């Protein structure tokens, strides 16, 4: 019985040691579990913060994209207006060039007409001068004839 008691005490001691060892392991595991929970909570918070940051960045990028699209639309409209203005300017230029060519042609025709009028006017003036000289000659002849007839009447 003493022997049995000693064996049982020895078993109890081993079991107590084993129990204490397992209790230590259990405390360490509980501590590690608690640390892991804290770590997971921190990681979850960090992940949540990262998700919020990503969402904010996404919102900013969306705003920028909308702004860029609006800017691009405005630039397309402005480009279309400038293209229309360019076409109008080109049409005006062509019209001015055509008008200028017509005016130049009209000026050349007018110059030719003026030159013809000048030439014919000179010829007419020459004819008038020639006619005037002829009339002067006739007038001088008539005067001479009048003098001759006066002299003949006086001398008869």
């Amino acid at each position: 019985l003493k022997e049995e008691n000693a064996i049982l005490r020895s078993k109890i001691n081993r079991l107590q040691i084993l129990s204490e060892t397992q209790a230590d392991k259990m405390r360490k595991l509980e501590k590690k579990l608690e640390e892991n929970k804290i770590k997971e909570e921190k990681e979850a918070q960090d992940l949540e913060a990262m998700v919020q940051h990503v969402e904010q960045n996404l919102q900013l990028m969306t705003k920028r994209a909308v702004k860029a699209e609006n800017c691009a639309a405005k630039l397309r409209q402005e480009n279309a207006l400038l293209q229309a203005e360019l076409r109008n300017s080109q049409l005006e230029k062509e019209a001015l060039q055509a008008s200028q060519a017509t005016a130049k042609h009209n000026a050349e025709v007018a110059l030719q007409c003026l030159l013809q009028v000048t030439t014919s006017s000179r010829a007419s003036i020459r004819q008038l001068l020639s006619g005037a000289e002829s009339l002067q000659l006739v007038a001088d002849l008539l005067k001479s004839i009048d003098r001759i007839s006066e002299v003949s009447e006086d001398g008869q």
Side-chain angles (χ1 to χ4, degrees):
L1 193 61
K2 280 185 178 183
E3 217 178 278
E4 222 178 275
N5 257 349
I7 292 174
L8 286 175
R9 279 189 193 152
S10 150
K11 278 186 181 180
I12 288 175
N13 282 338
R14 273 187 277 142
L15 286 175
Q16 281 179 343
I17 292 172
L18 183 64
S19 177
E20 286 175 12
T21 306
Q22 286 182 347
D24 283 342
K25 277 186 182 179
M26 185 81 142
R27 282 189 292 274
K28 287 178 183 177
L29 287 174
E30 284 176 349
K31 185 178 178 183
K32 195 168 190 177
L33 180 65
E34 188 64 31
E35 287 173 357
N36 284 343
K37 280 184 183 178
I38 292 171
K39 185 178 176 182
E40 284 180 10
E41 284 177 8
K42 185 172 180 341
E43 286 176 357
Q45 288 173 353
D46 290 346
L47 188 60
E48 182 65 29
M50 191 185 319
V51 167
Q52 287 177 356
H53 185 70
V54 168
E55 286 176 351
Q56 288 173 350
N57 285 343
L58 184 59
Q59 287 175 349
L60 285 174
M61 289 185 341
T62 303
K63 286 179 184 178
R64 287 179 187 158
V66 168
K67 189 175 179 180
E69 286 175 9
N70 290 338
C71 186
K74 286 179 185 177
L75 289 174
R76 281 191 292 274
Q77 287 176 344
E78 188 175 330
N79 187 24
L81 288 173
L82 289 173
Q83 290 289 337
E85 284 182 29
L86 177 62
R87 282 191 296 277
N88 288 339
S89 294
Q90 287 172 340
L91 290 174
E92 282 182 34
K93 178 184 173 188
E94 290 170 6
L96 283 172
Q97 286 174 341
S99 172
Q100 205 173 27
T102 302
K104 186 176 181 180
H105 176 71
N106 288 345
E108 288 175 8
V109 168
L111 177 63
Q112 292 300 321
C113 288
L114 282 173
L115 289 174
Q116 287 175 354
V117 166
T118 303
T119 303
S120 66
S121 295
R122 284 184 181 154
S124 295
I125 289 171
R126 282 187 204 117
Q127 286 176 351
L128 281 173
L129 285 175
S130 174
E133 286 175 3
S134 296
L135 286 173
Q136 184 66 43
L137 186 63
V138 169
D140 288 343
L141 277 174
L142 285 174
K143 279 184 190 176
S144 296
I145 290 175
D146 278 345
R147 281 187 206 152
I148 292 174
S149 26
E150 284 177 12
V151 170
S152 325
E153 284 178 7
D154 288 340
Q156 254 181 348

